[in-house]
Amino acid sequence: MALDKIGIAKRIAQEIQTGWYINLGIGIPTLVANYLPEAVEVVLQSENGLLGIGPFPGKNEVDPDLINAGKQTITMLNGSSLFSSAESFGMIRGEHINLTILGAMEVSENGDIANWKIPGKMVKGMGGAMDLVASAKNIIVAMQHVSRSGDSKLLKECTLPITGLRCVKKIVTDLAVLEISPGEGFRLLERAPGISVEEIKHATAGKILVTGDVPEMTIN
Amino acid sequence: MALDKIGIAKRIAQEIQTGWYINLGIGIPTLVANYLPEAVEVVLQSENGLLGIGPFPGKNEVDPDLINAGKQTITMLNGSSLFSSAESFGMIRGEHINLTILGAMEVSENGDIANWKIPGKMVKGMGGAMDLVASAKNIIVAMQHVSRSGDSKLLKECTLPITGLRCVKKIVTDLAVLEISPGEGFRLLERAPGISVEEIKHATAGKILVTGDVPEMTIN
Amino acid sequence: MINKVVENAEVAVRNIKDYNVIMLGGFGLCGIPENCITAILKLGVKGLTCISNNAGVDDFGIGLLLQTRQVDKMISSYVGENAEFERQLLAGELQVELLPQGTLAERIRAGGAGIPAFFTPAGVGTEVGQGKEVRTFNGKDYLLEFWLKADFSLVKAWKGDTAGNLIFKGTARNFNPMMATAGNITIAEVEELVPEGSLDPNQIHTPGIYVQKIFQGTNYEKRIEQYTTSS
Amino acid sequence: MINKVVENAEVAVRNIKDYNVIMLGGFGLCGIPENCITAILKLGVKGLTCISNNAGVDDFGIGLLLQTRQVDKMISSYVGENAEFERQLLAGELQVELLPQGTLAERIRAGGAGIPAFFTPAGVGTEVGQGKEVRTFNGKDYLLEFWLKADFSLVKAWKGDTAGNLIFKGTARNFNPMMATAGNITIAEVEELVPEGSLDPNQIHTPGIYVQKIFQGTNYEKRIEQYTTSS
C-alpha cells in the first residue's frame, strides 16, 4: 500500500541522526519533526531567522513576531537563537546545515530538482529553495512518486524550470526510497509496504537501478 | 610660528560639522576629539567595534574589554553601540562614516597617501588604514609638513609604499591647511600664524597653488 | 548623540519621490513597516520600485500599494498569496524580478557594506543564472551577483532610541537589519522609542549610524498569515 | 538541544595537528582565547598558520606561540609591538601575510557564509593588490578577494550556553563572531558557561550552530596594552 504523507514523514525521520541541524521545507517536510525518535537530538532551522523551532504555540502563547518560513506561528526552545536573513543564509550557504528536506515537482536521475515554477501558471517565487539546494551537503526530497495527472515525477531530465543541478541525494515517495547514483540513475533502496518493484519501475520515468532483493520499508 | 600637535588638532576640529560620524586615527587625530566646539554633536567610531567613544575612564572604571583601535582603555556614551569587525568595516566600506582623519608619512599632489610601511625597516601592518582611505568620502590628513630629517612630506609622487590612491581631500600640517585640487596640486588655503607663503612653498616638494592673499588660520 | 527623531510617519516619508527605489523590511507580514506603508499610501507617490522579500497580501502590507498602483516593479523572493499582484503581473502592469532569498539578503547586505559584487552558488544552472557571469571555485560553480541599494529603506524595529539604535524582536528581525544599511535614507519605525542610554550597547542589532530618521509607530496590527496553535 | 560542552581547554584543542590553519579571535589582547593558547603551548603542535588580526605581545597572546616557534605563518593586519615577531620575520623564520583589516574581517566572514570571493576597494593600487584581479564598478576600482577558512577557530566569549550560543562583551567581540563561522571545528571558551535557556535568544551574537566545542575558561588575565585613564 502506498504511504500517506505521514508515512513519508515517518520514513524520512529514520534518516535523521542526532546532532544535526536541519532545514525543513513547507508541507510533508514540516511533518517530519513530529516523528523523530525521542533519543535523536536535532535543531531545526527556520530560514527567516531562527535556530531551534519549538512546537506550535498554545492559544495564549501566540506571538505574531515569531513565525516559521511557512508563516505559521511557532515557539522557541531553550537554547534557541534569533538572527537576520543575511546571517541565516550565511549559515545555509556556508554548509553549516547538515540536512535539507524539501518537496519537489520533479527530480531527474542525476539529482536535478524542479520545485519553484510552472510556466504559464502563477509564479510564486523560489523563496529560499535555490540557496538551500545549491549549498546543502545532504538533501532529501519528500514527494509523491507520480503527479495527480499520473505522470512520473522521477524523470530522465526535468521538464520544469530547474531549482538546482545535481543536488538531491535521496528521495522518499509514497512508493519507495531511492538514492541518486551519480551518472547511473535512481537506485531503488526500499519499497513501500506491499508495493512491488514492478509497480515502482512502472511509476519511474528515469532510469532505475535495482540490485538484488529490495527490502520493504519498516514504518512504525 | 609653526603649530604644535594641539594646534593641528584644534584647526582640524574646526572642519567638523554637527551630525557627522568620524573615524580618528592614532596620534594627532585622536586629539581632535578634545577640541570640538560644545555645540557640535558628532559620533566617533572605533574600528574595533564601537560607535560612540567616550572619554578615558576614571581609575575605577577601567575595563579591559573596552578599548579603542589604539588599544587604549576607553568608555562609552549614552547611545553607543557595539559590533563585530565585519560590521565595523561594512560601515567604513559602505561610506557611512562622514569623515576620516589620519596621519601620513607622505601625501602626493593628486591625493595619494603613504602611511603603513617603510621598506627595510619594520613593517607593522596597515591595520584598518587601507579600508578607511579606499572608502571615506572625506579624508583629512594630520601631519608635520616636513620629516624629522627635513624632507617635505607633500610630494609630487609618494616614494613609500602607497596606502591608497587619490583619496586625501585636505591636509592640515604645522605650517598650513591645503586641499588637493585634482590634476592641479596642493591648493594653499591657510597659513599657520606667522608662517609666510614662501616658507610653505619652500617646505612643499609637490606643486603648490597659491591664489591671491592666503589668510592666516584662526586658532583659539 | 545625534538625534534622529521625527514626529511621525508622514513627516518621515515626505521626501520619497515618484520612481524612487525603496526597500521594505519584513518576512511575510512579520516585521513590516506598517506605519510607513500607510504614509506612502497617503503621500500618493507613483512608479516605485519596491525591494522586499514578499509582496504582502491583497489587503495588507505592500499589497495596499499594489492596489493603489503605486508600484511599477517588485524585487522579491516569494510573492504567493496575492490575487491583485497576480492580476497586475499577468496584465503586464507590474514588473517582477524574483531572486533566491539568500541572494536577495546578501545583495542588500553588500549594498550597505560597500561590496559591489560577490559570488554565490544559488541559482547556478537556473533561470536566475541566465546572463550572469559564472565562475568555478574549488570545482563548484558560482554566480556573480551585484549589490542592491535604495533611495529609502523603511524598517520596523521593536525598540529604538533617539540616536537611531535599533533592537528587533523574534523573527521580525529578518530583512530589516540589512535594509537599514542599504538605504540612502533609512527610516525606522519602532514600537517603543526610548531615550539614548536606555538600550544596552551590547544588545543593539542596528547601530544608529545607519538610521537617518526614527519615529514612534502607532496602532500596530501585526496581522498573522497562518495562525497555528498546538491545540 | 545538542550539548557542545567539553571539560577544559586541553580536551578542546587536542585534535589540532601540526601544520593546521587556526583562527584566533581578538583585537590586540582584547577578547583573545587565553585558555586555548595556553593549551596549544602545552600540546606542542608545530608549523601552524595563525589567522589573527594581531600577533600578541612578546610574552602574551600569540606571542607565546611565536616564542616556542610553533607558528610558521601569520595572516594579520597589524603586528606592531612584538620584538620576537620582528626577529623571526627578519631572520626569515616566519612567513607573514598582511591584509587590510576590513579585508581580513570580510574574507573570514565570507568563509563562514559560503561566499568564495567578493570585491573590495581596500588595497587597490598598493602592494596588497599586486597579482589580484581588479574590476571597475561605477567608475571605482575594486580588488577580488577570496574567502578564508580554518581547520580550527578559537574564540573567546563572555557568556555561552551548553548549546554553543555565545554573547561577547564590549569591544572584545571584534573578530570572534566571524571566526566562529569560518572554522571547520570552532572551539569557544567563555567566562561564564550557563545552561541552555539562560540566554535571551534575541541577544545571541553567535548562534550555537557554528560552535562544535565549548568550555568554561579559567584564570583570565585580560592584560591591558595601553592603560589610559582620564585622571
Side-chain angles (χ1 to χ4, degrees):
Chain A
M1 200 184 70
L3 299 178
D4 59 7
K5 288 180 180 184
I6 289 172
I8 295 174
K10 283 182 171 178
R11 178 59 192 82
I12 292 177
Q14 297 171 13
E15 299 287 314
I16 291 171
Q17 293 176 24
T18 215
W20 281 1
Y21 290 84
I22 304 174
N23 183 291
L24 302 178
I26 298 166
I28 298 174
T30 299
L31 295 176
V32 173
N34 302 336
Y35 303 104
L36 294 173
E38 193 109 334
V40 169
E41 188 82 77
V42 299
V43 179
L44 303 179
Q45 195 229 28
S46 192
E47 67 261 31
N48 54 322
L50 170 64
L51 273 173
I53 304 174
F56 293 122
K59 281 187 176 144
N60 298 326
E61 296 175 305
V62 169
D63 179 354
D65 290 326
L66 201 60
I67 63 170
N68 64 17
K71 280 100 175 178
Q72 294 171 308
T73 45
I74 49 165
T75 60
M76 294 190 285
L77 301 173
N78 284 337
S80 281
S81 57
L82 295 156
F83 36 85
S84 72
S85 300
E87 181 76 40
S88 184
F89 282 92
M91 255 172 227
I92 289 167
R93 273 191 320 264
E95 301 186 10
H96 302 280
I97 303 288
N98 302 93
L99 174 64
T100 289
I101 307 172
L102 74 177
M105 300 191 285
E106 296 177 348
V107 176
S108 80
E109 61 187 43
N110 66 356
D112 297 349
I113 179 172
N115 74 348
W116 76 283
K117 185 178 182 180
I118 304 175
K121 297 196 185 182
M122 180 59 195
V123 183
K124 291 189 189 297
M126 66 292 284
M130 283 192 183
D131 307 275
L132 283 159
V133 302
S135 304
K137 288 177 277 197
N138 190 5
I139 298 177
I140 300 178
V141 165
M143 66 175 189
Q144 305 300 316
H145 212 101
V146 299
S147 70
R148 280 177 203 163
S149 51
D151 298 321
S152 177
K153 297 169 74 173
L154 287 81
L155 307 173
K156 181 168 175 54
E157 285 181 11
C158 292
T159 63
L160 293 171
I162 291 290
T163 308
L165 298 175
R166 292 176 297 282
C167 53
V168 175
K169 296 283 179 292
K170 203 171 262 191
I171 306 149
V172 179
T173 74
D174 53 333
L175 303 183
V177 180
L178 310 99
E179 68 177 8
I180 300 295
S181 184
E184 298 188 303
F186 300 104
R187 182 175 303 283
L188 181 60
L189 299 180
E190 295 177 25
R191 298 172 290 116
I195 301 293
S196 70
V197 169
E198 282 313 306
E199 285 173 283
I200 296 165
K201 279 186 170 176
H202 183 73
T204 305
K207 188 171 178 192
I208 187 163
L209 308 165
V210 183
T211 317
D213 274 355
V214 177
E216 231 177 48
M217 299 178 202
T218 310
I219 307 246
N220 303 316
Chain B
M1 203 182 65
L3 299 178
D4 59 8
K5 288 180 179 183
I6 289 173
I8 296 174
K10 282 182 171 177
R11 177 60 191 81
I12 292 176
Q14 297 172 14
E15 299 287 312
I16 292 172
Q17 292 176 23
T18 216
W20 280 2
Y21 290 84
I22 304 174
N23 183 289
L24 302 179
I26 298 168
I28 298 174
T30 300
L31 295 176
V32 173
N34 302 336
Y35 303 104
L36 293 173
E38 193 109 333
V40 169
E41 188 83 76
V42 298
V43 180
L44 303 179
Q45 193 227 29
S46 192
E47 66 261 31
N48 55 321
L50 169 64
L51 273 173
I53 304 174
F56 292 123
K59 279 186 177 145
N60 298 327
E61 296 174 306
V62 170
D63 179 352
D65 291 326
L66 200 61
I67 63 170
N68 65 18
K71 282 98 174 179
Q72 295 171 309
T73 45
I74 48 164
T75 61
M76 293 190 286
L77 302 173
N78 283 337
S80 280
S81 57
L82 294 155
F83 37 84
S84 72
S85 300
E87 180 77 41
S88 183
F89 283 91
M91 255 171 226
I92 289 168
R93 272 191 320 265
E95 302 186 8
H96 301 279
I97 303 288
N98 301 91
L99 173 64
T100 288
I101 306 173
L102 76 176
M105 301 192 284
E106 295 176 349
V107 177
S108 79
E109 61 187 44
N110 66 356
D112 298 351
I113 179 172
N115 74 348
W116 76 282
K117 186 179 183 178
I118 305 176
K121 298 195 186 184
M122 181 57 196
V123 182
K124 292 186 188 301
M126 66 293 283
M130 282 191 185
D131 307 275
L132 283 159
V133 301
S135 304
K137 286 176 279 196
N138 189 5
I139 298 177
I140 300 177
V141 165
M143 66 176 188
Q144 303 303 316
H145 211 101
V146 298
S147 70
R148 279 178 204 163
S149 51
D151 297 322
S152 178
K153 298 169 74 175
L154 288 82
L155 307 171
K156 180 167 174 55
E157 284 183 10
C158 292
T159 64
L160 294 170
I162 290 290
T163 308
L165 298 175
R166 293 177 295 281
C167 53
V168 175
K169 295 284 181 291
K170 202 171 263 190
I171 306 150
V172 179
T173 74
D174 52 334
L175 303 184
V177 179
L178 311 98
E179 70 177 7
I180 300 293
S181 183
E184 299 188 300
F186 301 104
R187 182 176 303 284
L188 181 60
L189 299 181
E190 295 177 24
R191 296 172 292 116
I195 302 292
S196 69
V197 169
E198 282 314 304
E199 285 173 283
I200 296 164
K201 279 185 170 177
H202 183 74
T204 304
K207 188 171 179 191
I208 186 163
L209 309 165
V210 182
T211 318
D213 274 352
V214 178
E216 230 175 51
M217 299 178 202
T218 309
I219 308 245
N220 304 317
Chain C
M1 207 154 282
I2 304 158
N3 188 312
K4 313 286 181 76
V5 178
V6 297
E7 199 181 338
N8 55 35
E10 284 69 35
V11 174
V13 307
R14 67 181 169 200
N15 293 320
I16 299 180
K17 303 279 181 257
D18 290 352
Y19 307 107
N20 273 177
V21 176
I22 62 177
M23 291 185 182
L24 300 99
F27 182 95
L29 301 178
C30 182
I32 62 173
E34 297 185 16
N35 283 234
C36 282
I37 291 171
T38 305
I40 291 174
L41 278 173
K42 213 183 275 185
L43 187 67
V45 284
K46 301 279 186 197
L48 299 173
T49 292
C50 290
I51 302 173
S52 178
N53 188 57
N54 310 88
V57 295
D58 275 348
D59 61 345
F60 203 59
I62 295 175
L64 298 171
L65 300 174
L66 294 169
Q67 282 190 353
T68 51
R69 311 286 293 276
Q70 292 176 259
V71 181
D72 272 7
K73 182 174 179 182
M74 286 293 316
I75 300 177
S76 303
S77 90
Y78 190 85
V79 292
E81 276 85 56
N82 191 324
E84 173 62 13
F85 182 97
E86 188 171 3
R87 196 199 61 69
Q88 290 187 20
L89 177 62
L90 296 174
E93 295 166 10
L94 184 67
Q95 300 172 62
V96 179
E97 186 178 344
L98 290 171
L99 296 172
Q101 196 174 138
T103 299
L104 179 62
E106 191 67 12
R107 287 179 66 181
I108 296 166
R109 191 243 173 213
I115 302 288
F118 60 90
F119 287 95
T120 180
V124 171
T126 75
E127 285 183 17
V128 166
Q130 283 171 12
K132 289 179 183 168
E133 180 177 335
V134 178
R135 198 180 294 199
T136 308
F137 299 92
N138 302 322
K140 182 169 174 173
D141 289 344
Y142 295 82
L143 297 180
L144 184 67
E145 294 279 2
F146 300 93
W147 62 14
L148 281 173
K149 300 191 191 195
D151 296 308
F152 289 84
S153 282
L154 313 179
V155 302
K156 154 72 170 47
W158 179 38
K159 293 181 182 179
D161 70 14
T162 53
N165 294 302
L166 305 178
I167 296 177
F168 304 95
K169 175 168 164 268
T171 56
R173 195 182 316 182
N174 56 65
F175 280 81
N176 284 297
M178 295 86 74
M179 288 183 172
T181 71
N184 185 34
I185 301 290
T186 290
I187 300 168
E189 56 175 272
V190 298
E191 290 182 57
E192 194 183 341
L193 182 62
V194 299
E196 64 183 24
S198 310
L199 304 177
D200 180 347
N202 212 29
Q203 294 173 12
I204 303 295
H205 295 136
T206 291
I209 190 171
Y210 297 120
V211 174
Q212 279 69 46
K213 296 166 201 255
I214 189 168
F215 68 91
Q216 167 77 61
T218 55
N219 301 315
Y220 282 105
E221 190 171 333
K222 292 194 183 187
R223 204 183 287 187
I224 293 173
E225 281 184 83
Q226 302 288 339
Y227 183 93
T228 315
T229 61
S230 56
S231 50
Chain D
M1 208 154 283
I2 303 159
N3 188 313
K4 312 286 182 75
V5 178
V6 296
E7 201 182 336
N8 55 35
E10 285 68 36
V11 174
V13 306
R14 67 181 170 201
N15 293 322
I16 299 181
K17 302 281 184 256
D18 291 350
Y19 307 107
N20 272 176
V21 176
I22 62 176
M23 290 184 183
L24 299 100
F27 182 96
L29 300 178
C30 181
I32 62 173
E34 295 185 16
N35 284 235
C36 282
I37 291 171
T38 305
I40 292 174
L41 278 174
K42 214 183 274 184
L43 186 68
V45 284
K46 302 279 186 198
L48 299 172
T49 292
C50 290
I51 303 173
S52 177
N53 189 57
N54 310 86
V57 294
D58 275 348
D59 62 344
F60 202 58
I62 294 175
L64 298 170
L65 300 173
L66 293 171
Q67 281 189 353
T68 53
R69 313 282 295 273
Q70 292 178 259
V71 182
D72 273 8
K73 182 174 179 182
M74 286 294 316
I75 301 177
S76 302
S77 90
Y78 190 84
V79 292
E81 278 86 53
N82 191 323
E84 174 62 16
F85 182 96
E86 187 172 4
R87 197 199 59 71
Q88 291 186 20
L89 177 61
L90 295 174
E93 294 165 13
L94 184 68
Q95 300 172 61
V96 179
E97 186 179 344
L98 290 171
L99 296 172
Q101 196 172 139
T103 299
L104 179 62
E106 191 67 13
R107 288 180 65 182
I108 296 166
R109 191 244 173 211
I115 303 290
F118 60 89
F119 288 95
T120 179
V124 171
T126 75
E127 285 182 20
V128 167
Q130 283 171 13
K132 290 179 182 166
E133 179 177 335
V134 179
R135 197 179 292 201
T136 308
F137 299 93
N138 301 323
K140 182 170 174 173
D141 288 345
Y142 295 81
L143 297 180
L144 184 67
E145 295 279 2
F146 301 93
W147 63 14
L148 280 172
K149 299 190 190 194
D151 298 307
F152 289 86
S153 283
L154 313 179
V155 303
K156 152 72 171 44
W158 177 39
K159 295 182 182 177
D161 71 15
T162 54
N165 295 301
L166 305 178
I167 296 178
F168 305 94
K169 173 168 163 270
T171 56
R173 192 181 318 180
N174 55 67
F175 281 81
N176 284 296
M178 295 85 75
M179 289 185 172
T181 71
N184 186 32
I185 301 292
T186 290
I187 300 168
E189 56 175 274
V190 298
E191 290 181 58
E192 194 184 341
L193 182 61
V194 299
E196 64 182 25
S198 310
L199 303 177
D200 180 346
N202 211 29
Q203 294 173 13
I204 304 294
H205 295 137
T206 292
I209 189 172
Y210 298 119
V211 174
Q212 280 68 48
K213 296 167 201 262
I214 189 168
F215 68 92
Q216 167 76 59
T218 56
N219 300 315
Y220 282 104
E221 190 171 333
K222 294 195 182 183
R223 204 182 287 186
I224 293 173
E225 282 183 84
Q226 303 287 342
Y227 184 93
T228 315
T229 62
S230 56
S231 50

